[in-house]
Amino acid sequence: MTKLCAIFTCAALLLISIPSFSQDSNFYIFLCFGQSNMEGAAKFETQDTTAVDQRFRLLEAVNCVNLNRTKGNWYTAVPPLTRCKTGLGPVDYFGRTLVANLPKNIKIGVINVAVGGCKIELFDKENYQSYTAAAPDWMKGMLAEYDGNPYASMVEMAKIAQQSGIIKGILLHQGESNTGDKAWPEKVKGVYENLLKDLKLEAKNTPLLAGEVVNANQGGVCASMNAIIATLPQTIPNAHVISSAGCPDGPDNLHFSAEGYRMLGKRYGEKMLSLLGKK
């Protein structure tokens, strides 16, 4: 009997020692991933860095000494929102649109893990190593900031975020490096389903918003990929495509301009608001 009591006592002490977290149902978290247009390729301007509502939060995914940010900590979402020296992207105005149109008790948190020039294969949980092994030298520094595994880094940060809030959706902007790849929707589905499984999320409660690449009406060099992106909801029923039509691009016809990112980010936000039942 004494031995049994000791076992129960140890079990009770163990439970007491396990840290508890206060998950706020009014803190909406969104995972964001992709390549350079999700990173943010435009130089941000004064209007982008001022008057950012403190309800719009960023969970920093890398250590940024130059920004006084530490990996795994929350900060007001002042750009850059990806790595330490990236630019303005769609996530900036996605978050701004949500906080401007949701009740004051709702906070928005984002996690942005993106690597310029990467294919969707980089986020393949099972086979990413074969992709990174052949990555060009200019990409290796970016990969190193995510310890060589951006998918695992995103999941790690998402689990930290889940201690504070509720994951409400996933944002994707990728496809330029997979232009013409008709298997792209299935590859995206693999990443999406792994995220659901690893984070214990339900598909019906976790929409995937995928943005078009620079549109043909802006002279987009990868615009043909938009026809493939358009088919994504056929593969992932809870996927929604965000139009890039009319969003201005930069001189390379591959990346959006700052104004283009603002417009595209607002469209991501408006779609999410509709999915949340808000006008």
Side-chain angles (χ1 to χ4, degrees), residues 107-252:
K107 294 186 299 181
I108 300 300
V110 294
I111 300 165
N112 195 350
V113 175
V115 175
C118 76
K119 290 187 174 184
I120 194 64
E121 284 84 348
L122 177 62
F123 294 94
D124 183 332
K125 176 183 175 180
E126 306 298 335
N127 302 302
Y128 76 95
Q129 289 175 315
S130 61
Y131 183 80
T132 58
D137 289 341
W138 54 262
M139 187 183 289
K140 290 178 180 177
M142 293 184 278
L143 296 175
E145 293 192 64
Y146 299 118
D147 297 322
N149 188 348
Y151 176 86
S153 181
M154 179 164 53
V155 170
E156 177 190 4
M157 293 301 103
K159 288 181 177 179
I160 292 173
Q162 285 179 310
Q163 297 168 9
S164 302
I166 309 295
I167 294 176
K168 289 283 189 176
I170 301 171
L171 278 61
L172 169 67
H173 199 288
Q174 194 281 329
E176 294 90 344
S177 293
N178 287 86
T179 297
D181 182 359
K182 294 183 179 179
W184 182 84
E186 284 293 338
K187 294 174 182 178
V188 173
K189 181 181 180 182
V191 180
Y192 175 69
E193 290 183 342
N194 279 332
L195 287 171
L196 297 181
K197 181 179 179 180
D198 290 341
L199 298 171
K200 297 179 172 56
L201 303 171
E202 294 186 14
K204 65 179 181 179
N205 298 325
T206 316
L208 173 67
L209 275 57
E212 291 183 336
V213 301
V214 173
N215 204 275
N217 64 21
Q218 300 296 308
V221 294
C222 296
S224 62
M225 184 61 186
N226 287 334
I228 294 175
I229 295 173
T231 68
L232 190 60
Q234 298 172 23
T235 303
I236 304 173
N238 206 19
H240 306 269
V241 176
I242 309 303
S243 172
S244 67
C247 295
D249 66 335
D252 62 3

Side-chain angles (χ1 to χ4, degrees), residues 46-107:
T46 301
Q47 63 177 300
D48 307 313
T49 60
T50 56
V52 180
D53 195 313
Q54 292 188 357
R55 291 162 48 222
F56 181 22
R57 311 290 290 168
L58 166 72
L59 185 67
E60 186 59 73
V62 299
N63 289 310
C64 288
V65 176
N66 64 314
L67 301 173
N68 293 316
R69 295 178 187 171
T70 303
K71 177 181 176 179
N73 289 346
W74 289 105
Y75 301 92
T76 301
V78 177
L81 302 187
T82 314
R83 294 185 311 284
C84 315
K85 296 181 181 180
T86 51
L88 188 73
V91 179
D92 291 271
Y93 282 81
F94 165 77
R96 287 187 178 211
T97 299
L98 290 186
V99 296
N101 291 279
L102 289 171
K104 298 297 183 182
N105 65 320
I106 302 295
K107 294 186 299 181

Side-chain angles (χ1 to χ4, degrees), residues 259-271:
E259 182 57 27
Y261 285 123
R262 294 182 194 113
M263 292 174 63
L264 187 63
K266 183 179 178 182
R267 292 177 186 180
Y268 272 98
E270 290 171 343
K271 183 60 182 181

